[in-house]
Amino acid sequence: MYPHRLLLMFLFVAFLLLPAVMDLWLFSASSWPIPYIIWFALILFTALMSHRHHDL
Amino acid sequence: MISDLRLPLLLLIGVAYLLLLLACAYAAERGWIAQRWVRHPLVHTLSLGIYASAWTFYGAFSIARDSGFTYLISYLGASAAFMLSPLILLPILRLTRTYQLSSLADLFAFRFHSAAIGSLTTALVMLASLPLIVIQIQGIVSSIRLFNDTLSEAQLALAFCLLLTLFSILFGARHPSLRSRHDGLSLAIAIKSLVKVVVLLTLASYVFLQVFNGQKGLNLWLTEHPAALETLLSSPDNSSWRTLFIAFFGAAFLTPHMFHILFSENASESSLRLASWLMPLFLLLMALAIPPLLWTGFKLELLGNPDYLLLALGQALSLDWFIILAFIGVLSAASGVILVANIALASMLQNHLLLPVIRLPDSSSFYRWLLWLRRSLILVVMSVSYAIYLLLDQRFSLAQLGLITFMAFLQFLPGLFATLYWQGASRVGFLAGLSGGLSIWLMTVIQIYLSLEQPSHSLDLWYEYTLLSLLLNTLLLIGGSLLFPADAREAEHATACILNALPRQTRLLGHDKDSLENLEQRLSQRLGQHSARREIEQARQILDLPNTNKLGPLDLLKLRNTLENNLSGLLGPVEATALLRPESLQQARFRGREIHLLEEQLEHYDERLSGLAAELDKIRRFHRFTLQRLPIGVLTLDDHSQILFWNRQLQEYTGIDANEAIGSDLPSLPSPWAEFFGHFTQSPEKLHETCPLEHQHQTRWFSLHKTLVNEGNTQGMIVLIEDETEHRQIANRLAHSERLTSIGRFAAGVAHEIGNPVTGIACLAQNLKLETDDPIILETGSHILTQTQRISRIVQSLVRFAHTGQADQLSKLEAVNLYACAQEAVELLRFDERGRNMLIMNQIPPEYRCSGDPQLLLQVFVNLLNNACDASPEHSRIVIDASQMQNALRVRITDPGSGIEPEHQQRLFEPFFTTKEPGKGTGLGLALVYNIITEHCGNIEFISPADKKQNKGTQVIIQLPLWVDSALSTQTEKT
């Protein structure tokens, strides 16, 4: 339970930073495919993490 | 108006497509499609594509035209929800599966332990869902009117609503149970999701390749028309997209159709793990199709009404297939949302608004009644949606309607996070927050609807009011929870909901005194007697319980849990729990997961565990196996003397099955075990060695050890029980053998001492005979010689007995006439006064012959008849008779004497054991008789009392081998 709460705290911090991150991601790209490419990279990362999970 | 394509053909294709999906669903339900495909995690993951509603096909183009990449927010918000599934979706899934929850209302009702919250949540979800359904209706109706604008919107909407009502009932209201999985529905929705993404990608690919001639052509065109790209890449004027991100993040799991597909139709966590990346990929592909289509619209100047861009493109390109595909795509999107939303809303309305207030019929049609109630509710939902559609009269665009509905659902987000992560949230805080947030939302909706301004100009208000409502909601939730904390019952439910926490238990087993009769009575009050009995019988069959009214505590617990699970599916968990909890438990703590039911579930769960959990489970199984297979009995008690563990060895000792014992109180065990264990557990000693216990007419001995358990919250006792009966018997036999050995040594010494005087007596008797002619003296002398010879033989037997430790082989075997042998013994007894006063009747048939030594057998008869005379009153009748068996003769000597006391019967053949007064008997008689009979390969037994009516007399039964003429007469082997 506590590791999840710690992770949740990090996520809240990330959430606060999210607006700036998404500004950079979506509205500062020099080329129109770049947001999709970044999105695809996030999907690949998530797929990799989901295959390495340990269920407790 | 698109007039080239005949409208009836398009409608026919649409209806045919829906019927095809219905056929696929039916095939899946009937098992015509292999289960491993229907229930594959990929099918469930694809069915989550229901998130992409008509808004995705139409509304996304509006936002893309006006705000560029802001349109991605709706996809990114949902993607974030799926990517964060270990923190949000998986915990909700575990809760819904553990506690049989099928909707958001069930979840909040459970968390805050309040049926009223369930009802309120249901009403609010219904209110918030109406705009969502209206979007779908509006999308389809407007699409159709593009082909023929003379058609009545109201009539088109009515036809569409009726059609979707019928399909909703056919797809999702065919079983009474709410927890029944609808494999067919999942498959149909998965196919629709596939169709949606394929349609969009196909249309986008076509325009990319045919309109722009590939990547080079597109780049060239974008270079020539920088405005198209600038719109997409430019930052929005306001930061409203941040609020949109949160709204769509919440919409991914808070809307009723998404919640239903995610958690009610889901069987495993593996599909959610797959969805954590597959769903974002699905949404990425759909989002990727938007820019080419949008630029095509820009190129062909069709962006005046971007909501229906796809159909307009088809018309502009004069492609019927383009139009058909676009229509099929939006039909898939719209119908999917309506279908599942109808099913989910009908279930919520049934469980939380209707069943708490109406009485269920007491008849065999109870289940059909529930089914028709749900079907009626589906009709009600569609009717209200239709009415709202007419009321709104297309004042709002699809994008605006989407914002209205998602903003409403956003108000449940603080409560959901509190459910998963904050134990301190109370129902007062939740209600306060929800009320505050939804009040602002409702006021804003009404204000804009009644406003004279164009709704589109008030869109900016939405983002500000949404943030305000969310902020107020959160503050009221926190403040209300701090000011009005949760009570004990709420706190336990809160603990149960916290991530990865098991509920706290005060007892390892439920300590209620429920019974089968009470269960049936409680169910009958609500369901009626017939339905109650049917539910109980169904639960019995599932658990394979015996058909008896007396169930053990553990069986009763299992029955109640199964009933609760089944009734949760029919009536919802709130109703089911209220029905099955006895009043005492409803006042007491929240029922924790009883340890044995948890272990039983783990027994079936082993294949699904992985990593450390799998290793821990292996260790648990090994320890349990060790305890179960120990060669001594293990009994574990809690601090209330309730039995927690009863291993197999204890089952064998006592004959009491573990399922009967576990959960019982120790005093409720059958006698003598209750007293036996109870006495030991209450005594201060930790060890009782070799305690006797009379059970089933025999005496057994047990050693008992106990140790107290006192670790933290766990109090109890462990008792070890070891059966010492065999050890005791071996020890007795050893002692007997030791006594015989010492007697043998003693007898040898005595025999040597007796031998000399006996020899002297024999010589004197011989001399006496030689010195007289008196016949009486001669006869007396002969008798003396005979008796001295007897003495010599007895002495020799004793010496042999002493030397070998047991009776040796017989020197010779011959045919012994039993009648003659017994008669001789009778004659010898006449020398004794007591023998003369008895009537000894020799009824042995004269032809009976046994194999043996006549002298030894004479000694047997003499000793036995002597004992019979001593035990019987004067002038009694002692009977000797015999019968022939297959290879043996049975000789019975029956006397009417005082009999043998039961406590003496075990010791009859012990040397020197005698009940006669000192000097009257040596106690060797029966020991010698026993040895002689054993030497003859026979056996001897005593029955006392021989006369059971008068309770007196003794009967000795001797079994001797029958003399067989053809047998070897020289010697027999003794084994």
Side-chain angles (χ1 to χ4, degrees), chain B residues 619-669:
Chain B
I619 292 170
R620 177 195 69 84
R621 285 171 188 272
F622 178 74
H623 288 319
R624 188 167 181 84
F625 181 83
T626 304
L627 282 174
Q628 282 287 359
R629 298 300 175 100
L630 278 176
I632 58 174
V634 179
L635 164 66
T636 313
L637 303 169
D638 68 2
D639 53 345
H640 289 78
S641 295
Q642 199 170 36
I643 296 170
L644 300 177
F645 185 76
W646 186 274
N647 76 337
R648 285 186 199 191
Q649 191 61 53
L650 195 53
Q651 216 168 279
E652 281 182 29
Y653 286 163
T654 60
I656 301 171
D657 194 73
N659 283 334
E660 287 176 40
I662 292 172
S664 309
D665 294 325
L666 198 60
S668 67
L669 287 177

Short mmCIF file of all heavy atoms in Angstrom, two decimals, chain B residues 619-669:
data_model
loop_
_atom_site.label_atom_id
_atom_site.label_comp_id
_atom_site.label_asym_id
_atom_site.label_seq_id
_atom_site.Cartn_x
_atom_site.Cartn_y
_atom_site.Cartn_z
N ILE B 619 4.62 -21.68 -0.55
CA ILE B 619 5.06 -21.89 0.83
C ILE B 619 3.83 -22.20 1.70
O ILE B 619 3.85 -23.10 2.54
CB ILE B 619 5.81 -20.66 1.36
CG1 ILE B 619 7.13 -20.51 0.61
CG2 ILE B 619 6.08 -20.77 2.86
CD1 ILE B 619 7.86 -19.20 0.88
N ARG B 620 2.77 -21.44 1.50
CA ARG B 620 1.54 -21.67 2.27
C ARG B 620 1.04 -23.09 2.06
O ARG B 620 0.66 -23.78 3.01
CB ARG B 620 0.47 -20.65 1.85
CG ARG B 620 -0.87 -20.84 2.55
CD ARG B 620 -1.98 -20.07 1.83
NE ARG B 620 -2.29 -20.61 0.54
CZ ARG B 620 -3.12 -21.63 0.33
NH1 ARG B 620 -3.70 -22.22 1.34
NH2 ARG B 620 -3.34 -22.05 -0.89
N ARG B 621 1.03 -23.54 0.79
CA ARG B 621 0.53 -24.89 0.50
C ARG B 621 1.41 -25.95 1.16
O ARG B 621 0.92 -26.96 1.68
CB ARG B 621 0.53 -25.12 -1.01
CG ARG B 621 -0.59 -24.41 -1.72
CD ARG B 621 -0.41 -24.49 -3.23
NE ARG B 621 -1.38 -23.67 -3.88
CZ ARG B 621 -2.60 -24.08 -4.21
NH1 ARG B 621 -2.96 -25.31 -3.97
NH2 ARG B 621 -3.44 -23.24 -4.80
N PHE B 622 2.71 -25.71 1.14
CA PHE B 622 3.63 -26.69 1.72
C PHE B 622 3.39 -26.80 3.22
O PHE B 622 3.32 -27.91 3.76
CB PHE B 622 5.08 -26.28 1.42
CG PHE B 622 6.08 -27.21 2.04
CD1 PHE B 622 6.30 -28.46 1.51
CD2 PHE B 622 6.79 -26.84 3.17
CE1 PHE B 622 7.21 -29.33 2.08
CE2 PHE B 622 7.70 -27.70 3.75
CZ PHE B 622 7.92 -28.94 3.20
N HIS B 623 3.27 -25.68 3.88
CA HIS B 623 3.04 -25.72 5.34
C HIS B 623 1.71 -26.36 5.65
O HIS B 623 1.58 -27.13 6.62
CB HIS B 623 3.09 -24.29 5.92
CG HIS B 623 4.47 -23.72 5.96
ND1 HIS B 623 5.56 -24.46 6.32
CD2 HIS B 623 4.93 -22.48 5.67
CE1 HIS B 623 6.65 -23.71 6.26
NE2 HIS B 623 6.30 -22.51 5.87
N ARG B 624 0.70 -26.06 4.84
CA ARG B 624 -0.60 -26.65 5.08
C ARG B 624 -0.55 -28.17 4.88
O ARG B 624 -1.14 -28.93 5.63
CB ARG B 624 -1.63 -26.01 4.14
CG ARG B 624 -3.03 -26.43 4.47
CD ARG B 624 -4.06 -25.56 3.77
NE ARG B 624 -5.37 -25.98 4.14
CZ ARG B 624 -5.99 -25.59 5.24
NH1 ARG B 624 -5.40 -24.78 6.08
NH2 ARG B 624 -7.20 -26.02 5.51
N PHE B 625 0.16 -28.58 3.83
CA PHE B 625 0.31 -30.01 3.56
C PHE B 625 1.01 -30.69 4.73
O PHE B 625 0.62 -31.79 5.16
CB PHE B 625 1.12 -30.20 2.26
CG PHE B 625 1.32 -31.62 1.86
CD1 PHE B 625 0.35 -32.29 1.15
CD2 PHE B 625 2.48 -32.29 2.19
CE1 PHE B 625 0.51 -33.61 0.77
CE2 PHE B 625 2.66 -33.62 1.81
CZ PHE B 625 1.68 -34.28 1.10
N THR B 626 2.05 -30.05 5.22
CA THR B 626 2.78 -30.62 6.36
C THR B 626 1.86 -30.82 7.56
O THR B 626 1.84 -31.88 8.17
CB THR B 626 3.94 -29.68 6.76
OG1 THR B 626 4.77 -29.45 5.63
CG2 THR B 626 4.75 -30.26 7.89
N LEU B 627 1.08 -29.80 7.86
CA LEU B 627 0.17 -29.90 9.01
C LEU B 627 -0.88 -30.97 8.79
O LEU B 627 -1.23 -31.73 9.70
CB LEU B 627 -0.52 -28.56 9.25
CG LEU B 627 0.30 -27.49 9.95
CD1 LEU B 627 -0.47 -26.18 9.99
CD2 LEU B 627 0.67 -27.91 11.36
N GLN B 628 -1.38 -31.03 7.58
CA GLN B 628 -2.45 -32.00 7.29
C GLN B 628 -1.94 -33.43 7.39
O GLN B 628 -2.66 -34.33 7.80
CB GLN B 628 -3.03 -31.77 5.89
CG GLN B 628 -3.99 -30.61 5.78
CD GLN B 628 -5.34 -30.90 6.42
OE1 GLN B 628 -5.60 -31.97 6.96
NE2 GLN B 628 -6.22 -29.92 6.40
N ARG B 629 -0.69 -33.66 6.99
CA ARG B 629 -0.18 -35.02 6.89
C ARG B 629 0.64 -35.47 8.09
O ARG B 629 1.22 -36.55 8.06
CB ARG B 629 0.69 -35.15 5.64
CG ARG B 629 -0.06 -34.89 4.34
CD ARG B 629 -1.20 -35.86 4.14
NE ARG B 629 -1.99 -35.54 2.97
CZ ARG B 629 -1.87 -36.16 1.80
NH1 ARG B 629 -0.99 -37.13 1.65
NH2 ARG B 629 -2.60 -35.80 0.77
N LEU B 630 0.70 -34.65 9.12
CA LEU B 630 1.43 -35.08 10.31
C LEU B 630 0.82 -36.36 10.86
O LEU B 630 -0.41 -36.52 10.85
CB LEU B 630 1.36 -34.00 11.39
CG LEU B 630 2.34 -32.83 11.28
CD1 LEU B 630 2.05 -31.82 12.38
CD2 LEU B 630 3.77 -33.33 11.40
N PRO B 631 1.66 -37.26 11.40
CA PRO B 631 1.11 -38.50 11.95
C PRO B 631 0.49 -38.35 13.33
O PRO B 631 0.14 -39.33 13.97
CB PRO B 631 2.34 -39.42 12.01
CG PRO B 631 3.49 -38.50 12.13
CD PRO B 631 3.13 -37.26 11.40
N ILE B 632 0.39 -37.11 13.81
CA ILE B 632 -0.31 -36.88 15.07
C ILE B 632 -1.41 -35.87 14.81
O ILE B 632 -1.36 -35.11 13.84
CB ILE B 632 0.63 -36.35 16.17
CG1 ILE B 632 1.30 -35.05 15.73
CG2 ILE B 632 1.67 -37.39 16.53
CD1 ILE B 632 2.12 -34.40 16.81
N GLY B 633 -2.42 -35.86 15.67
CA GLY B 633 -3.53 -34.95 15.49
C GLY B 633 -3.15 -33.53 15.86
O GLY B 633 -2.45 -33.32 16.85
N VAL B 634 -3.62 -32.57 15.08
CA VAL B 634 -3.37 -31.15 15.36
C VAL B 634 -4.71 -30.45 15.43
O VAL B 634 -5.52 -30.54 14.51
CB VAL B 634 -2.49 -30.50 14.27
CG1 VAL B 634 -2.27 -29.03 14.59
CG2 VAL B 634 -1.17 -31.22 14.15
N LEU B 635 -4.92 -29.75 16.52
CA LEU B 635 -6.16 -29.01 16.73
C LEU B 635 -5.78 -27.59 17.09
O LEU B 635 -4.95 -27.37 17.97
CB LEU B 635 -6.94 -29.66 17.89
CG LEU B 635 -8.07 -28.87 18.53
CD1 LEU B 635 -9.19 -28.66 17.54
CD2 LEU B 635 -8.59 -29.62 19.76
N THR B 636 -6.37 -26.63 16.38
CA THR B 636 -6.08 -25.22 16.67
C THR B 636 -7.37 -24.55 17.11
O THR B 636 -8.42 -24.74 16.47
CB THR B 636 -5.54 -24.50 15.43
OG1 THR B 636 -4.53 -25.29 14.84
CG2 THR B 636 -4.96 -23.16 15.78
N LEU B 637 -7.30 -23.77 18.17
CA LEU B 637 -8.47 -23.06 18.69
C LEU B 637 -8.18 -21.57 18.74
O LEU B 637 -7.03 -21.17 18.90
CB LEU B 637 -8.78 -23.54 20.12
CG LEU B 637 -9.02 -25.02 20.32
CD1 LEU B 637 -9.04 -25.35 21.80
CD2 LEU B 637 -10.34 -25.44 19.69
N ASP B 638 -9.24 -20.79 18.61
CA ASP B 638 -9.06 -19.36 18.82
C ASP B 638 -9.34 -19.05 20.29
O ASP B 638 -9.57 -19.95 21.09
CB ASP B 638 -9.93 -18.53 17.86
CG ASP B 638 -11.42 -18.68 18.16
OD1 ASP B 638 -11.79 -19.38 19.11
OD2 ASP B 638 -12.20 -18.08 17.41
N ASP B 639 -9.36 -17.77 20.61
CA ASP B 639 -9.51 -17.41 22.03
C ASP B 639 -10.93 -17.64 22.55
O ASP B 639 -11.19 -17.47 23.73
CB ASP B 639 -9.09 -15.95 22.25
CG ASP B 639 -9.82 -15.01 21.31
OD1 ASP B 639 -10.40 -15.50 20.33
OD2 ASP B 639 -9.80 -13.80 21.53
N HIS B 640 -11.86 -18.03 21.64
CA HIS B 640 -13.21 -18.35 22.09
C HIS B 640 -13.49 -19.85 21.98
O HIS B 640 -14.65 -20.25 21.89
CB HIS B 640 -14.24 -17.59 21.23
CG HIS B 640 -14.28 -16.13 21.51
ND1 HIS B 640 -13.33 -15.26 21.02
CD2 HIS B 640 -15.14 -15.37 22.24
CE1 HIS B 640 -13.61 -14.03 21.43
NE2 HIS B 640 -14.69 -14.06 22.17
N SER B 641 -12.41 -20.63 21.97
CA SER B 641 -12.54 -22.09 21.85
C SER B 641 -13.26 -22.52 20.59
O SER B 641 -13.91 -23.57 20.56
CB SER B 641 -13.28 -22.68 23.07
OG SER B 641 -12.52 -22.50 24.22
N GLN B 642 -13.14 -21.73 19.57
CA GLN B 642 -13.71 -22.13 18.29
C GLN B 642 -12.61 -22.81 17.47
O GLN B 642 -11.47 -22.35 17.43
CB GLN B 642 -14.23 -20.91 17.55
CG GLN B 642 -15.23 -21.26 16.46
CD GLN B 642 -15.91 -20.03 15.90
OE1 GLN B 642 -15.29 -18.99 15.77
NE2 GLN B 642 -17.16 -20.16 15.55
N ILE B 643 -12.99 -23.91 16.83
CA ILE B 643 -11.99 -24.73 16.16
C ILE B 643 -11.62 -24.09 14.82
O ILE B 643 -12.47 -23.80 13.99
CB ILE B 643 -12.54 -26.15 15.93
CG1 ILE B 643 -12.80 -26.81 17.29
CG2 ILE B 643 -11.56 -27.00 15.12
CD1 ILE B 643 -13.56 -28.10 17.20
N LEU B 644 -10.32 -23.88 14.63
CA LEU B 644 -9.83 -23.26 13.40
C LEU B 644 -9.17 -24.26 12.47
O LEU B 644 -9.15 -24.08 11.26
CB LEU B 644 -8.81 -22.16 13.73
CG LEU B 644 -9.33 -21.02 14.61
CD1 LEU B 644 -8.18 -20.06 14.90
CD2 LEU B 644 -10.46 -20.28 13.94
N PHE B 645 -8.59 -25.31 13.06
CA PHE B 645 -7.87 -26.27 12.22
C PHE B 645 -8.06 -27.66 12.81
O PHE B 645 -8.02 -27.84 14.03
CB PHE B 645 -6.38 -25.90 12.16
CG PHE B 645 -5.59 -26.76 11.22
CD1 PHE B 645 -5.66 -26.58 9.86
CD2 PHE B 645 -4.77 -27.76 11.71
CE1 PHE B 645 -4.93 -27.38 8.99
CE2 PHE B 645 -4.04 -28.55 10.86
CZ PHE B 645 -4.12 -28.36 9.49
N TRP B 646 -8.24 -28.64 11.93
CA TRP B 646 -8.53 -30.03 12.35
C TRP B 646 -7.92 -30.91 11.29
O TRP B 646 -8.48 -31.06 10.22
CB TRP B 646 -10.05 -30.18 12.42
CG TRP B 646 -10.59 -31.46 12.96
CD1 TRP B 646 -10.83 -32.61 12.25
CD2 TRP B 646 -11.03 -31.73 14.28
NE1 TRP B 646 -11.38 -33.56 13.06
CE2 TRP B 646 -11.52 -33.04 14.32
CE3 TRP B 646 -11.05 -30.97 15.45
CZ2 TRP B 646 -12.02 -33.63 15.47
CZ3 TRP B 646 -11.56 -31.55 16.59
CH2 TRP B 646 -12.02 -32.87 16.60
N ASN B 647 -6.76 -31.51 11.59
CA ASN B 647 -6.06 -32.16 10.48
C ASN B 647 -6.57 -33.60 10.27
O ASN B 647 -7.47 -34.10 10.96
CB ASN B 647 -4.54 -32.12 10.71
CG ASN B 647 -4.07 -33.12 11.73
OD1 ASN B 647 -4.84 -33.57 12.58
ND2 ASN B 647 -2.80 -33.49 11.66
N ARG B 648 -5.98 -34.25 9.26
CA ARG B 648 -6.51 -35.55 8.84
C ARG B 648 -6.33 -36.62 9.91
O ARG B 648 -7.20 -37.48 10.08
CB ARG B 648 -5.78 -36.02 7.59
CG ARG B 648 -6.23 -35.27 6.38
CD ARG B 648 -5.62 -35.81 5.13
NE ARG B 648 -5.72 -34.82 4.08
CZ ARG B 648 -5.46 -35.04 2.81
NH1 ARG B 648 -5.08 -36.23 2.45
NH2 ARG B 648 -5.57 -34.10 1.92
N GLN B 649 -5.19 -36.56 10.61
CA GLN B 649 -4.96 -37.57 11.62
C GLN B 649 -6.00 -37.47 12.73
O GLN B 649 -6.50 -38.48 13.23
CB GLN B 649 -3.54 -37.42 12.21
CG GLN B 649 -3.10 -38.58 13.08
CD GLN B 649 -3.05 -39.89 12.34
OE1 GLN B 649 -2.43 -40.02 11.29
NE2 GLN B 649 -3.72 -40.88 12.87
N LEU B 650 -6.35 -36.27 13.07
CA LEU B 650 -7.38 -36.07 14.10
C LEU B 650 -8.74 -36.55 13.61
O LEU B 650 -9.56 -37.07 14.37
CB LEU B 650 -7.44 -34.59 14.49
CG LEU B 650 -8.17 -34.25 15.78
CD1 LEU B 650 -7.65 -35.05 16.95
CD2 LEU B 650 -8.05 -32.75 16.07
N GLN B 651 -8.93 -36.39 12.32
CA GLN B 651 -10.16 -36.92 11.70
C GLN B 651 -10.22 -38.43 11.87
O GLN B 651 -11.27 -39.00 12.17
CB GLN B 651 -10.09 -36.56 10.22
CG GLN B 651 -11.39 -36.21 9.58
CD GLN B 651 -11.17 -35.58 8.21
OE1 GLN B 651 -10.87 -34.40 8.11
NE2 GLN B 651 -11.35 -36.34 7.17
N GLU B 652 -9.07 -39.10 11.69
CA GLU B 652 -9.05 -40.56 11.82
C GLU B 652 -9.24 -40.99 13.27
O GLU B 652 -9.89 -41.99 13.55
CB GLU B 652 -7.71 -41.09 11.31
CG GLU B 652 -7.66 -41.18 9.80
CD GLU B 652 -6.34 -41.74 9.30
OE1 GLU B 652 -5.74 -42.54 10.04
OE2 GLU B 652 -5.92 -41.37 8.20
N TYR B 653 -8.62 -40.24 14.18
CA TYR B 653 -8.76 -40.61 15.58
C TYR B 653 -10.22 -40.54 16.03
O TYR B 653 -10.74 -41.41 16.71
CB TYR B 653 -7.97 -39.64 16.47
CG TYR B 653 -6.47 -39.81 16.44
CD1 TYR B 653 -5.64 -38.80 16.91
CD2 TYR B 653 -5.86 -40.95 15.94
CE1 TYR B 653 -4.27 -38.92 16.89
CE2 TYR B 653 -4.48 -41.08 15.92
CZ TYR B 653 -3.70 -40.05 16.40
OH TYR B 653 -2.33 -40.18 16.39
N THR B 654 -10.85 -39.41 15.64
CA THR B 654 -12.16 -39.11 16.23
C THR B 654 -13.32 -39.56 15.36
O THR B 654 -14.44 -39.69 15.84
CB THR B 654 -12.29 -37.60 16.45
OG1 THR B 654 -12.16 -36.94 15.17
CG2 THR B 654 -11.22 -37.07 17.37
N GLY B 655 -13.09 -39.74 14.06
CA GLY B 655 -14.19 -40.04 13.15
C GLY B 655 -15.01 -38.80 12.83
O GLY B 655 -16.08 -38.90 12.23
N ILE B 656 -14.54 -37.63 13.21
CA ILE B 656 -15.27 -36.37 12.95
C ILE B 656 -14.60 -35.68 11.76
O ILE B 656 -13.41 -35.42 11.79
CB ILE B 656 -15.23 -35.44 14.18
CG1 ILE B 656 -15.85 -36.14 15.39
CG2 ILE B 656 -15.97 -34.14 13.90
CD1 ILE B 656 -15.65 -35.38 16.68
N ASP B 657 -15.39 -35.38 10.74
CA ASP B 657 -14.84 -34.76 9.54
C ASP B 657 -14.43 -33.32 9.83
O ASP B 657 -15.05 -32.63 10.64
CB ASP B 657 -15.91 -34.77 8.44
CG ASP B 657 -15.33 -34.45 7.09
OD1 ASP B 657 -14.63 -35.32 6.53
OD2 ASP B 657 -15.57 -33.34 6.60
N ALA B 658 -13.37 -32.88 9.14
CA ALA B 658 -12.87 -31.52 9.37
C ALA B 658 -13.94 -30.47 9.06
O ALA B 658 -14.05 -29.46 9.75
CB ALA B 658 -11.63 -31.28 8.51
N ASN B 659 -14.72 -30.70 8.03
CA ASN B 659 -15.75 -29.71 7.68
C ASN B 659 -16.81 -29.57 8.76
O ASN B 659 -17.43 -28.51 8.90
CB ASN B 659 -16.42 -30.11 6.37
CG ASN B 659 -15.55 -29.79 5.18
OD1 ASN B 659 -14.71 -28.90 5.25
ND2 ASN B 659 -15.72 -30.53 4.11
N GLU B 660 -17.03 -30.63 9.51
CA GLU B 660 -18.00 -30.53 10.60
C GLU B 660 -17.39 -29.83 11.79
O GLU B 660 -18.06 -29.11 12.52
CB GLU B 660 -18.41 -31.94 11.06
CG GLU B 660 -19.33 -32.67 10.11
CD GLU B 660 -19.58 -34.08 10.62
OE1 GLU B 660 -19.76 -34.23 11.85
OE2 GLU B 660 -19.57 -35.01 9.82
N ALA B 661 -16.08 -30.10 12.00
CA ALA B 661 -15.45 -29.59 13.21
C ALA B 661 -15.10 -28.12 13.10
O ALA B 661 -15.31 -27.36 14.03
CB ALA B 661 -14.20 -30.41 13.53
N ILE B 662 -14.54 -27.74 11.95
CA ILE B 662 -14.04 -26.37 11.81
C ILE B 662 -15.19 -25.39 11.91
O ILE B 662 -16.21 -25.53 11.23
CB ILE B 662 -13.28 -26.20 10.47
CG1 ILE B 662 -12.00 -27.02 10.52
CG2 ILE B 662 -12.96 -24.74 10.21
CD1 ILE B 662 -11.28 -27.08 9.20
N GLY B 663 -14.99 -24.41 12.73
CA GLY B 663 -16.05 -23.43 12.95
C GLY B 663 -16.91 -23.75 14.15
O GLY B 663 -17.63 -22.87 14.65
N SER B 664 -16.86 -25.00 14.61
CA SER B 664 -17.68 -25.36 15.79
C SER B 664 -16.96 -24.90 17.04
O SER B 664 -15.76 -24.72 17.06
CB SER B 664 -17.85 -26.87 15.88
OG SER B 664 -18.31 -27.41 14.69
N ASP B 665 -17.75 -24.79 18.09
CA ASP B 665 -17.15 -24.59 19.41
C ASP B 665 -16.70 -25.94 19.92
O ASP B 665 -17.31 -26.98 19.60
CB ASP B 665 -18.17 -24.00 20.38
CG ASP B 665 -18.57 -22.60 19.95
OD1 ASP B 665 -17.68 -21.88 19.43
OD2 ASP B 665 -19.74 -22.24 20.13
N LEU B 666 -15.67 -25.92 20.75
CA LEU B 666 -15.14 -27.18 21.28
C LEU B 666 -16.21 -27.95 22.07
O LEU B 666 -16.33 -29.17 21.90
CB LEU B 666 -13.92 -26.88 22.16
CG LEU B 666 -13.00 -28.05 22.46
CD1 LEU B 666 -12.43 -28.62 21.19
CD2 LEU B 666 -11.87 -27.61 23.38
N PRO B 667 -17.00 -27.32 22.91
CA PRO B 667 -18.01 -28.08 23.67
C PRO B 667 -19.08 -28.71 22.78
O PRO B 667 -19.82 -29.58 23.23
CB PRO B 667 -18.62 -27.02 24.60
CG PRO B 667 -17.60 -25.96 24.70
CD PRO B 667 -16.92 -25.92 23.39
N SER B 668 -19.20 -28.27 21.53
CA SER B 668 -20.27 -28.81 20.69
C SER B 668 -19.83 -30.08 19.97
O SER B 668 -20.61 -30.68 19.24
CB SER B 668 -20.71 -27.76 19.66
OG SER B 668 -19.67 -27.52 18.73
N LEU B 669 -18.59 -30.51 20.16
CA LEU B 669 -18.13 -31.75 19.55
C LEU B 669 -18.89 -32.92 20.18
O LEU B 669 -19.32 -32.85 21.32
CB LEU B 669 -16.63 -31.94 19.77
CG LEU B 669 -15.69 -31.03 18.98
CD1 LEU B 669 -14.25 -31.31 19.39
CD2 LEU B 669 -15.84 -31.24 17.49
#
